[in-house]
Amino acid sequence: MKLSSFFTAPNQLTLLRMVFVPFIVINLVAGHYTWALTLFVLAGLSDGLDGLLARTLKQQTMLGQYLDPIADKFLLSTMFLVLSILHMIPWKFTVLVFSRDIGIVVASAILYAIAGLRDFRPSIFGKANTFSQVAAVFFVLLLQVEPVRWIAIARLTFLRATFAFTIVSGVHYVFLVGQRLHAAHVPPSRPPS
């Protein structure tokens, strides 16, 4: 991994997303929900922009492949934890999100240690789960800024979607782990003589 990959525009944007996190938390704890929401939206936009830049500028790097999901997990896990502490998200959602993420980290470490597997691209269910988490946090924050009924309904809908996709994506990941381990231990077939 080259040091120059650290300074590519997409990776700098990913790092900027991580820098946003403490400022979002500071504003949340202080009750400045509009600022917290604004910074969260900017962090979300940086997530979409870094992927677009990486493809457009052909600056896709190994560092970026690891850094991007770490930044996503850092942002969303922190948000769920802080919002639960502030009684804005019920703890059951946060416990489930953390349990899945810790399980994935442990499984990835085991896959790497046992079979040397490094390909941990997110599945369609994992992407749906990330989207539902982002939307849930967005509507939780928006409800603090604008407490109207449709936002409360959207908040509940996306929290329930997060609950469902967390379970589905977790089960799917277990299935993928089994497949990858099996593929790693199956000897290559001999060509016919």
Side-chain angles (χ1 to χ4, degrees):
M1 196 178 296
K2 295 179 181 177
L3 184 62
S4 59
S5 68
F6 186 81
F7 297 103
T8 63
N11 289 345
Q12 290 296 299
L13 266 177
T14 303
L15 290 168
L16 180 64
R17 185 157 78 254
M18 296 173 83
V19 170
F20 275 121
V21 175
F23 295 101
I24 298 171
V25 172
I26 288 166
N27 280 286
L28 269 178
V29 172
H32 302 145
Y33 302 121
T34 303
W35 275 110
L37 177 60
T38 303
L39 290 171
F40 181 74
V41 168
L42 288 173
L45 290 174
S46 77
D47 186 20
L49 189 58
D50 66 8
L52 181 66
L53 279 176
R55 288 186 295 275
T56 306
L57 302 174
K58 298 192 179 351
Q59 291 184 341
Q60 293 161 311
T61 63
M62 183 67 72
L63 176 64
Q65 288 178 19
Y66 285 99
L67 202 55
D68 189 56
I70 289 170
D72 288 345
K73 295 296 177 206
F74 180 54
L75 173 65
L76 289 170
S77 297
T78 302
M79 293 304 295
F80 267 80
L81 182 61
V82 172
L83 290 170
S84 286
I85 291 169
L86 296 175
H87 307 292
M88 295 179 199
I89 289 181
W91 276 103
K92 66 180 179 181
F93 297 105
T94 300
V95 169
L96 195 62
V97 165
F98 267 80
S99 298
R100 173 191 173 273
D101 290 347
I102 291 168
I104 286 175
V105 169
V106 169
S108 299
I110 290 169
L111 279 174
Y112 180 72
I114 292 176
L117 296 176
R118 296 181 185 189
D119 183 13
F120 305 117
R121 284 171 292 184
S123 69
I124 187 70
F125 299 113
K127 289 179 180 178
N129 182 47
T130 300
F131 175 78
S132 63
Q133 285 183 27
V134 169
V137 170
F138 173 78
F139 283 111
V140 166
L141 294 174
L142 187 59
L143 188 63
Q144 302 303 312
V145 176
E146 195 69 37
V148 295
R149 188 169 184 271
W150 76 266
I151 295 174
I153 292 168
R155 168 196 171 274
L156 184 59
T157 301
F158 280 107
L159 281 173
R160 287 177 174 170
T162 294
F163 194 87
F165 280 122
T166 299
I167 293 170
V168 170
S169 62
V171 170
H172 185 245
Y173 193 79
V174 169
F175 174 74
L176 287 178
V177 166
Q179 275 191 326
R180 287 171 182 171
L181 279 174
H182 178 72
H185 287 97
V186 172
S189 55
R190 293 178 183 172
S193 53

